[in-house]
Amino acid sequence: MARDQGPLSADLRPEGRNGPLARSIAGYLEYWERYAETWEFQALLRARAVAGDADLGRRFELNAADFAYPPDGLTIDRVAEIRHMRERIERERVKPPEAAKFHFKLGIGSLADVQFAVEVSLMRHGGGHP
């Protein structure tokens, strides 16, 4: 009997099974403008084209940068969302909770804290300093 492996990666799309397997640049722009959450913009900080059409990759990176590095700056609401996400990760992934004092990757003062601090700084200042 096969063990349940959970949802397939294709099922993790924003629209679920009914969403497109691949998006056009216009499709990404529409998604980012209408539906994307702050953590998705954090992920765009690391977006790099590594294969395929170089011009298309550059277009994607330039469009992604507009969302990763908001031209109007990083709002206090977005900073609060990032902080809540960081707290949620610690709360849900560090077990038992008292281990947060010693958890090198996800606990208090951990690598994740450094990562989130750098990402907030990048989102706030990175657009003006490529």
Side-chain angles (χ1 to χ4, degrees), residues 29 32-33 41 44 59-73 78 123 127:
L29 289 171
W32 292 331
E33 288 170 356
F41 300 135
L44 289 177
R59 284 181 47 216
F60 180 89
E61 288 176 9
L62 289 171
N63 283 297
D66 290 341
F67 292 90
Y69 308 107
D72 55 348
R78 286 249 166 112
M123 292 176 84

Side-chain angles (χ1 to χ4, degrees), residues 60-95:
F60 180 89
E61 288 176 9
L62 289 171
N63 283 297
D66 290 341
F67 292 90
Y69 308 107
D72 55 348
L74 190 60
T75 66
I76 194 72
D77 291 337
R78 286 249 166 112
V79 172
E81 287 179 48
I82 292 168
R83 181 175 180 187
H84 291 302
M85 178 58 67
R86 173 63 191 103
E87 291 168 351
R88 179 179 168 197
I89 290 169
E90 186 177 313
R91 188 174 56 253
E92 293 179 7
R93 303 226 14 235
V94 176
K95 302 293 181 198

Side-chain angles (χ1 to χ4, degrees), residues 38 41-48 64-75 78-79 82 113-130:
T38 300
F41 300 135
Q42 282 178 262
L44 289 177
L45 293 168
R46 296 179 295 280
R48 302 292 181 276
D66 290 341
F67 292 90
Y69 308 107
D72 55 348
L74 190 60
T75 66
R78 286 249 166 112
V79 172
I82 292 168
D113 282 339
V114 173
Q115 175 186 341
F116 274 67
V118 168
E119 289 172 353
V120 166
S121 183
L122 282 170
M123 292 176 84
R124 186 166 182 206
H125 304 288
H129 306 281

Side-chain angles (χ1 to χ4, degrees), residues 1-5:
M1 183 175 196
R3 190 173 139 241
D4 181 15
Q5 298 294 317

